[in-house]
């Protein structure tokens, strides 16, 4: 049997967990902020907003863009179901598109035939360490005025044309689930260079608040 992924966890992780637990500040510790800063440095993204998981990250991206009922979102037909589930959670309809036999990523040639008047977004998935062809996808999105959200759940450390996955489209997400390149057990991150979308995603994950520790809900 070929093992797809095997987490590498030792006493270093245990020491960090102990530090957080002993502080009793177990929701968003200062280490969370440090982690976000390191992800920004790794990816080159202007914003990195931590989430409970990659699915929540995708959902927040969609809602922040105003994608919902009546809208269609093109997703590859080979991906973990969370990609399509996030679209359904947002109230939109996932439209499946064939992947390339070579890369296992969405086949750019097939995307155009799936675009309708209701299409609002393309979600390419970077699978098994392979990157989707982001140049062609971004060119296509500009042609049809579509959003691009990159599902880079498996794209940590992966680059396309020397640029990190998750930073080509309007937004991107990373996942830190147990079978990912870097794991936190759970967790995800939203990547974007757009200040407004970043603020919306932070507010969405924070129940409509722009700051923690207060009970003023702007949304």
């Amino acid at each position: 049997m070929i093992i797809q992924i095997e987490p590498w966890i030792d006493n270093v992780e245990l020491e960090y967990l102990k530090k957080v637990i002993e502080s009793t500040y177990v929701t968003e510790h200062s280490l969370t902020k440090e982690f976000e800063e390191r992800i920004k440095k790794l990816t080159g993204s202007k914003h990195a907003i931590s989430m409970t998981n990659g699915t929540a990250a995708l959902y927040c991206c969609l809602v922040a863009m105003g994608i919902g009922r009546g809208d269609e979102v093109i997703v590859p037909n080979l991906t973990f179901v969370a990609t399509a589930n996030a679209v359904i959670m947002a109230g939109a309809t996932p439209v499946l598109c064939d992947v390339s036999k070579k890369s296992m990523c969405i086949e750019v040639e097939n995307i155009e035939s799936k675009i309708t008047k209701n299409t609002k977004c393309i979600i390419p998935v970077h699978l098994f360490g392979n990157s989707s062809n982001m140049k062609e996808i971004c060119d296509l999105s500009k042609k049809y005025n579509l959003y691009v959200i990159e599902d880079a759940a498996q794209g940590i450390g992966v680059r396309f044309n020397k640029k990190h996955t998750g930073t080509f489209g309007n937004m991107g997400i990373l996942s830190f689930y147990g079978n990912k390149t870097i794991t936190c057990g759970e967790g995800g991150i939203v990547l974007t260079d757009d200040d407004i979308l970043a603020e919306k995603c932070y507010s969405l994950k924070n129940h409509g608040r722009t700051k923690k520790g207060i009970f003023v809900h702007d949304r």
Side-chain angles (χ1 to χ4, degrees):
M1 184 180 72
I2 298 174
I3 298 174
Q4 180 181 333
I5 191 74
E6 187 172 8
W8 185 7
I9 299 172
D10 56 26
N11 288 332
V12 175
E13 285 80 10
L14 189 60
E15 288 301 314
Y16 275 108
L17 283 172
K18 184 179 178 183
K19 179 180 178 180
V20 172
I21 291 167
E22 287 178 347
S23 77
T24 72
Y25 204 94
V26 296
T27 44
E28 281 196 36
H29 194 272
S30 59
L31 286 174
T32 306
K33 190 65 179 176
E34 181 182 338
F35 188 63
E36 290 173 336
E37 291 299 321
R38 291 193 180 204
I39 291 296
K40 286 195 285 186
K41 185 176 180 180
L42 171 70
T43 62
S45 180
K46 183 177 180 180
H47 299 282
I49 305 107
S50 59
M51 297 279 171
T52 53
N53 53 51
T55 310
L58 280 172
Y59 170 79
C60 284
C61 288
L62 290 158
V63 175
M65 290 175 173
I67 296 171
R69 191 172 301 279
D71 297 332
E72 294 178 354
V73 179
I74 297 173
V75 301
N77 65 356
L78 178 61
T79 178
F80 183 59
V81 72
T83 311
N85 279 347
V87 176
I88 295 169
M89 285 165 59
T93 301
V95 176
L96 302 181
C97 180
D98 287 340
V99 299
S100 163
K101 291 181 180 180
K102 183 178 181 181
S103 69
M104 300 296 181
C105 296
I106 195 165
E107 184 66 82
V108 179
E109 294 176 1
N110 295 328
I111 295 175
E112 199 159 13
S113 65
K114 302 290 182 179
I115 296 173
T116 71
K117 61 181 177 61
N118 296 319
T119 307
K120 292 294 188 294
C121 181
I122 305 168
I123 303 183
V125 178
H126 308 299
L127 205 60
F128 302 128
N130 293 322
S131 172
S132 302
N133 190 325
M134 291 313 301
K135 181 185 183 305
E136 292 186 7
I137 290 172
C138 288
D139 288 345
L140 189 66
S141 71
K142 290 174 184 175
K143 179 180 177 181
Y144 290 95
N145 194 29
L146 302 174
Y147 287 118
V148 174
I149 301 172
E150 291 174 75
D151 184 339
Q154 294 187 6
I156 302 168
V158 177
R159 295 181 183 275
F160 178 81
N161 290 345
K162 298 182 179 181
K163 187 175 179 179
H164 199 284
T165 55
T167 63
F168 287 86
N170 304 91
M171 308 185 84
I173 69 101
L174 305 177
S175 172
F176 306 106
Y177 187 64
N179 64 350
K180 298 302 187 290
T181 310
I182 299 173
T183 181
C184 301
E186 280 284 0
I189 270 187
V190 168
L191 303 175
T192 185
D193 288 342
D194 189 304
D195 295 341
I196 295 174
L197 291 176
E199 188 276 329
K200 284 183 179 179
C201 277
Y202 180 83
S203 175
L204 281 164
K205 80 153 188 176
N206 198 26
H207 294 276
R209 298 178 294 179
T210 55
K211 295 180 181 179
K212 288 188 176 294
I214 61 173
F215 298 101
V216 177
H217 302 262
D218 299 302
R219 290 186 177 84

